[in-house]
Amino acid sequence: MVSAGEEYAGLPGGVAVSRLSVYDWPAADGVSGGTPHMHLTCSEAYVVTGGRGAVQTLTASGYQVTPLEPGTVAWFTPGTIHRLVNEDALRITVLMQNSGLPEAGDAVLTLPPRHLTDPETYAAATVVPADAPEAERERITRARRDLAVEGFLALRAAEGPEALAEFHRAAAALVGPRLAEWRERWRRGARAAAAATGEQLDRLATGDVGHLATAAVHAEQPSERGRFGMCGRLDVYPAGSGPGA
C-alpha cells in the first residue's frame, strides 16, 4: 500500500513499457520471429508502430493468428502462449502489467518437456550471459528460440488438452521459488497504483485537494538499447514501479 504522505510515482497503472524490433530469424517451420512463451500473472499489450506481422497464440480454446500492422492494439491475458511473427520489419511498443514483473521471471518459454524438469535445467537452456560477446549472445538467443518453437509446434499438434495442461503445471513449478519476490514487486507497483487512486478518491470526497499540489512530471530515456529479448531487440525503460522500487 501507499503510506500516508507517499505518492505513487510509477508509470500509469503500474505498467512497464519497452520498444521491440521483432527478430527476422527464420525458424525450422520457415516462420521468422520471436520465442514462444507464456506469462503466468501478467497481461501483455502490443501497440504496433511499424512494419507488419502477426502473433500466433495458443490457449485452452485453441490456436489463433492475429494480424499486426501499424495502428493495431492487441492484448492477451496470463496463460496465453504467444509467438510473434515478423513479416516485414515489425516494430512494437510493448505494455506489460505489474511493474516489470515479466522481467523478474514471469515468462516461461515453451521448451520441450525435457528442459522443464527443474529450474536449473531450464536456466541452462535459457539464460543469456550479459557479459558474453554480442555474437555469442545472439547465438544463444537464437538457439533457445528454436528450442521454444520446437516445443510450441508440439503443443499445437497435440490432441486433447493434456499436453497444454502439463506445460501449465511445469511452468508453475518452475516459477514457484520466485513468488515471494513477485508479490513484493506487485505490492510496490500495481497494487500501490490502485491504492493511490482509492486514497485520492477518499480525499476528494472530504474536500481534501492536497494531493493535487504534489503533481509532478517524469520523463525517461531507455536504460538499455538493443537488448536480446525473447521476441526481438529491446529498448528497455525503467519499470517505474513506485516508492521503494
Side-chain angles (χ1 to χ4, degrees), residues 17-23 44-55 66-74 76 82-86 89-95 231-235 237:
V17 63
S18 59
R19 296 190 302 181
L20 175 66
S21 297
V22 181
Y23 295 130
E44 180 172 3
Y46 297 149
V47 181
V48 183
T49 58
R52 185 170 55 87
V55 58
T66 301
L68 300 176
E69 61 184 23
T72 299
V73 177
F76 40 86
H82 48 289
R83 177 195 189 188
L84 274 171
V85 174
N86 186 356
L90 183 60
R91 298 185 304 281
I92 294 170
T93 296
V94 181
L95 305 177
C231 296
R233 299 297 292 262
L234 286 168
D235 290 346
Y237 294 81

Side-chain angles (χ1 to χ4, degrees), residues 192-219:
T197 299
E199 183 175 338
Q200 290 159 7
L201 291 170
D202 291 342
R203 291 174 179 175
L204 291 172
T206 64
D208 179 357
V209 296
H211 69 284
L212 301 179
T214 65
V217 178
H218 304 272

